[in-house]
Amino acid sequence: MRLIMHNMLTCNIKGVINKSPLRIEAEKVIKKEVDFNPDFLRHMLAKIEWKALVDGARSMGYTELPVHAPGIESDEPFLRKFHHALLELNLEEGSLVCQESGRKFPVNKGVPNMLLHEKEV
Amino acid sequence: TVLHSCRIVPALKTLKMSTRPELLAPPEIFYDDSEARKYTSSSRIVEIQARLSERALELLALPEDDVPRFLLDIGCGSGLSGETISENGHQWIGLDISASMLNVAVEREVEGDLLLGDMGQGLGLRAGVIDGAISISAVQWLCNADKSSHEPRLRLKAFFGSLYRCLSRGARAVFQVYPESIAQRELILRQALQAGFGGGLVVDYPHSTKKRKEFLVLTCGSVPTSINDGHKGSGSEDDDDDSEDEDNGMVCVSDRNRPRKKQRTNKKGKGREWVLRKKEQSRRKGNDVPADSKYTARKRKSRF
């Protein structure tokens, strides 16, 4: 699971109001190189919940992201960091935790299990 | 390997001809480890999936600006359709209910992010973040009541509601479906419209039982007039330019229940030359066509 997906995930349990972001408990993180595409990164910037990205990156061991996203101009050094955090960090083993209910969604082989039990729907 | 796939393809063919997978068991049970592997190692299936995925991507009508988009593959399975998305340069999230199928996707090191989840429970994605969604042969699974507490209508509602929410303004969802019956297709379409989607069905090769393919093309809020004509196949000449005869710009379908997401207007348009050519074509066919004048193809008010 990369942060590009994590940033979009919400907890779907019935009754939960604070659905996102999910807190990351990282057990195994690996880095996989991905081609740098500034157009795509600029396109994604508007969609990203920035604080969730910074916290997520931190929990995976990457602390270089600035606390605030740049206003208008996003220069290359920033985009490089953004690129690395968004697309190159992979959570292989761990869990995603709903901040409100405490429910843990396990992550195995990079795939989070978001299946809800009957009563949670 | 060749012998292996020769043995398997006839077996799958028989299975497919006698029973649909979704009538045998829920997807997470039908697609166990051995089925998942069979599915992905059949070269015929791989080829079909690739073609269907390419067509679905085409029907998404993403802007041709060379900027990669962020897409959703619903029922991504072992990642066959996802690979087509990657080949077209986009990033994607894949959702599937079968852990076995996702395991195969992981082994094949697909480039998208994978999610083990049940679309009937809602997609669980934030609002407005997805640029387009495709689904190849997956949505029909929603129409079966597999567990006693699952009413298909509730699951369809959760699915379409969450899908509508997570799509960005102007984004489309394209589903390739093999509906079991017209009633099933109507059910799917009705639920989609209730969730606020506009859109309709695109049928490729409608006259060929073998080649016929159906794609449900859903749009957020309004119906663009430029939904692609389905591929006709050779020998079918009538209704050639049904969709192209309409004016440029968007037709808004009034939607009582949901706030409309505004479609961006199509700046490209067909132009005066095109209109003149079409009129000439129509004259050659022997139709009664008004004479060309300075008013031909003049821009009308946006309400047209």
Side-chain angles (χ1 to χ4, degrees):
Chain A
M1 182 203 76
R2 301 177 299 176
L3 288 173
I4 188 173
M5 176 165 77
H6 166 259
N7 203 266
M8 311 305 169
L9 288 177
T10 66
C11 172
N12 231 358
I13 293 175
K14 186 170 64 179
V16 168
I17 299 170
N18 184 17
K19 299 167 186 256
S20 77
L22 303 167
R23 187 166 44 87
I24 297 178
E25 283 177 1
E27 277 155 45
K28 181 177 168 204
V29 176
I30 62 174
K31 293 180 190 143
K32 281 191 229 177
E33 219 178 285
V34 171
D35 287 342
F36 179 71
N37 188 321
D39 288 330
F40 178 70
L41 294 168
R42 288 197 183 95
H43 173 70
M44 289 302 296
L45 209 43
K47 301 177 195 280
I48 293 293
E49 226 289 298
W50 193 255
K51 183 171 187 298
L53 184 70
V54 175
D55 292 341
R58 266 202 196 126
S59 56
M60 301 227 271
Y62 184 65
T63 52
E64 304 294 303
L65 275 181
V67 175
H68 296 290
I72 309 153
E73 275 306 308
S74 40
D75 61 351
E76 171 143 343
F78 164 76
L79 287 177
R80 289 272 170 190
K81 290 184 202 163
F82 181 37
H83 169 80
H84 185 70
L86 192 70
L87 297 169
E88 295 187 329
L89 301 173
N90 292 265
L91 181 69
E92 293 291 303
E93 308 289 325
S95 350
L96 304 177
V97 187
C98 171
Q99 315 253 32
E100 187 177 304
S101 63
R103 163 79 143 92
K104 287 199 186 188
F105 298 97
V107 180
N108 298 112
K109 293 196 219 164
V111 182
N113 181 347
M114 306 301 289
L115 288 169
L116 299 177
H117 310 308
E118 303 266 330
K119 293 176 185 164
E120 292 173 320
V121 181
Chain B
T1 335
V2 174
L3 272 174
H4 183 66
S5 60
C6 279
R7 256 190 295 128
I8 284 171
V9 171
L12 281 169
K13 241 189 177 163
T14 320
L15 190 70
K16 201 170 181 189
M17 285 186 344
S18 60
T19 354
R20 288 160 168 269
E22 59 263 24
L23 295 179
L24 295 174
E28 66 268 31
I29 294 181
F30 180 81
Y31 287 115
D32 60 7
D33 286 339
S34 117
E35 272 304 319
R37 250 165 246 295
K38 270 196 227 170
Y39 191 89
T40 322
S41 60
S42 158
S43 54
R44 181 175 154 268
I45 285 194
V46 169
E47 201 209 302
I48 290 175
Q49 287 282 309
R51 252 188 289 132
L52 293 175
S53 311
E54 283 289 357
R55 181 63 173 136
L57 270 175
E58 202 175 75
L59 290 168
L60 274 183
L62 297 169
E64 282 168 25
D65 54 7
D66 285 326
V67 177
R69 269 12 198 225
F70 188 42
L71 305 178
L72 179 63
D73 186 348
I74 300 165
C76 66
S78 50
L80 292 174
S81 41
E83 278 182 349
T84 303
I85 302 178
S86 294
E87 274 158 27
N88 280 272
H90 303 294
Q91 295 287 338
W92 54 279
I93 293 178
L95 171 90
D96 204 274
I97 200 172
S98 163
S100 305
M101 288 289 255
L102 289 175
N103 269 336
V104 178
V106 167
E107 269 170 40
R108 298 172 78 229
E109 298 192 354
V110 295
E111 291 176 39
D113 289 280
L114 303 168
L115 193 49
L116 176 60
D118 182 350
M119 59 170 120
Q121 292 181 344
L123 295 169
L125 297 171
R126 271 197 300 117
V129 294
I130 301 292
D131 298 319
I134 65 167
S135 180
I136 308 297
S137 315
V139 176
Q140 72 270 13
W141 289 98
L142 268 175
C143 297
N144 308 328
D146 301 315
K147 297 164 188 156
S148 55
S149 58
H150 287 198
E151 222 244 72
R153 211 163 297 176
L154 291 173
R155 291 168 55 73
L156 282 159
K157 187 172 177 192
F159 169 62
F160 280 114
S162 58
L163 178 63
Y164 188 84
R165 263 194 311 277
C166 76
L167 285 170
S168 63
R169 204 164 288 197
R172 288 187 184 185
V174 177
F175 305 149
Q176 184 273 322
V177 278
Y178 293 113
E180 187 182 316
S181 62
I182 293 183
Q184 197 188 69
R185 193 216 289 152
E186 294 298 300
L187 175 63
I188 295 173
L189 195 46
R190 214 178 330 130
Q191 292 290 329
L193 294 176
Q194 265 180 36
F197 283 106
L201 199 66
V202 170
V203 185
D204 286 352
Y205 308 107
H207 307 296
S208 161
T209 33
K210 203 169 134 192
K211 289 202 270 181
R212 182 193 172 102
K213 293 289 179 286
E214 292 185 3
F215 295 88
L216 197 56
V217 180
L218 301 174
T219 56
C220 284
S222 42
V223 181
T225 56
S226 53
I227 282 186
N228 277 357
D229 234 343
H231 289 156
K232 290 289 185 294
S234 56
S236 162
E237 187 118 302
D238 44 300
D239 300 329
D240 199 7
D241 297 308
D242 241 5
S243 63
E244 292 176 357
D245 273 349
E246 311 209 28
D247 214 335
N248 312 319
M250 302 302 171
V251 171
C252 281
V253 174
S254 110
D255 189 337
R256 285 172 292 142
N257 301 319
R258 290 285 169 136
R260 242 177 288 165
K261 284 191 190 176
K262 276 204 181 136
Q263 270 281 18
R264 54 184 152 73
T265 41
N266 191 358
K267 284 181 192 154
K268 285 191 192 152
K270 293 276 161 77
R272 190 162 186 273
E273 258 183 46
W274 179 86
V275 172
L276 291 172
R277 238 189 306 128
K278 284 291 161 194
K279 288 178 77 176
E280 193 48 49
Q281 221 175 62
S282 191
R283 282 188 198 105
R284 274 188 252 125
K285 280 190 190 169
N287 294 326
D288 211 350
V289 183
D292 298 333
S293 73
K294 62 175 176 176
Y295 298 110
T296 306
R298 188 183 64 168
K299 238 185 172 291
R300 269 72 173 177
K301 258 194 198 171
S302 59
R303 69 160 173 270
F304 290 102

